[in-house]
Amino acid sequence: MNAPAGRPGISWWVVLRGLVWAALFVGVVAIYLPTTYFGLAPSRASIATPSGVAGLLGIGAGALLMIACVTEFVTRGRGTPMPMDPPRHLVVRGPYRFVRNPMYLGMVLVLLGELALAFSPGFAGYIAGWFACIHLLVVLYEEPTLRRKFGADYERYTREVGRWWPSFQRKDGRL
C-alpha cells in the first residue's frame, strides 16, 4: 500500500506532495496571477488564428514538460521540485538530461502560450520579470545548494548540461 504499482520504493506520500506542489506552482504562476492581474481569460483567447494554435501548442508542450519533470523528481529523486521538499537523489534523467531547469522552461512555454492566445503588454512584462526572478533564484540559491548537497556529481552535471539552453548532444558525446 505504500508504493504505487510497478514502482517499488516510491511512497504515495511523495507522489501526493509532488502533485500538490505542481498544482500550486501552475495554479499561482500560470492561472491565478495572469487572470487576476492581467485580465487573461478563456473568453479573450483566439484559438482560430496562427497565434492561437501556437499558443495552444506552447501550453501543451509546457504542461507535458512540467509533468515529466515532476515525475522524474518523484520517481528518481524521491522528493519534489519544491525547495522545502527537495529530492534525495540528483535528477539527471528525462528532461534534465538535456537542460538543467526544464521545469522552469516548461512554465515559460505555458506563459508564452497564454501570451500568444491573449496578448497583453503587461503580461509580457510579467513573463520577463518572472523569468528574471527565477534566474536569480537558480543562480543564487538552487545551484549553490545543489553543489553543497551533491558535490562532484553536480559539478560534472553542470559541465555537461546547460542551465537554460537545451542541448541534445552532451559534451561527452552521448545523447
Side-chain angles (χ1 to χ4, degrees):
M1 177 150 190
N2 200 27
R7 298 283 186 173
I10 302 169
S11 74
W12 284 104
W13 179 234
V14 76
V15 171
L16 180 63
R17 292 190 325 258
L19 291 172
V20 167
W21 180 90
L24 286 171
F25 179 63
V26 171
V28 170
V29 176
I31 298 170
Y32 176 74
L33 293 173
T35 57
T36 302
Y37 296 103
F38 303 103
L40 268 66
S43 61
R44 287 195 54 214
S46 56
I47 58 174
T49 65
S51 68
V53 172
L56 290 175
L57 289 173
I59 291 169
L64 289 174
L65 184 55
M66 287 190 287
I67 289 167
C69 292
V70 172
T71 300
E72 287 298 318
F73 267 74
V74 168
T75 60
R76 296 190 194 280
R78 303 294 199 262
T80 73
M82 185 169 58
M84 290 74 66
D85 188 18
R88 278 72 174 152
H89 307 284
L90 182 61
V91 178
V92 297
R93 293 189 175 200
Y96 293 91
R97 185 173 156 199
F98 305 107
V99 67
R100 292 198 313 256
N101 296 290
M103 174 70 88
Y104 297 135
L105 293 179
M107 180 57 77
V108 167
L109 285 173
V110 168
L111 295 172
L112 292 174
E114 291 177 335
L115 184 65
L117 285 171
F119 184 77
S120 157
F123 187 55
Y126 164 76
I127 296 169
W130 181 83
F131 186 76
C133 290
I134 289 302
H135 177 73
L136 290 174
L137 174 73
V138 165
V139 171
L140 300 176
Y141 172 74
E142 287 186 0
E143 289 180 352
T145 301
L146 291 168
R147 274 189 181 86
R148 280 191 304 278
K149 184 170 184 174
F150 297 114
D153 289 337
Y154 184 72
E155 284 298 327
R156 185 172 34 261
Y157 177 60
T158 62
R159 286 190 304 272
E160 294 176 357
V161 179
R163 178 185 293 139
W164 296 118
W165 197 252
S167 173
F168 299 100
Q169 184 72 34
R170 290 172 56 165
K171 291 179 180 156
D172 62 7
R174 294 181 292 149
L175 288 179

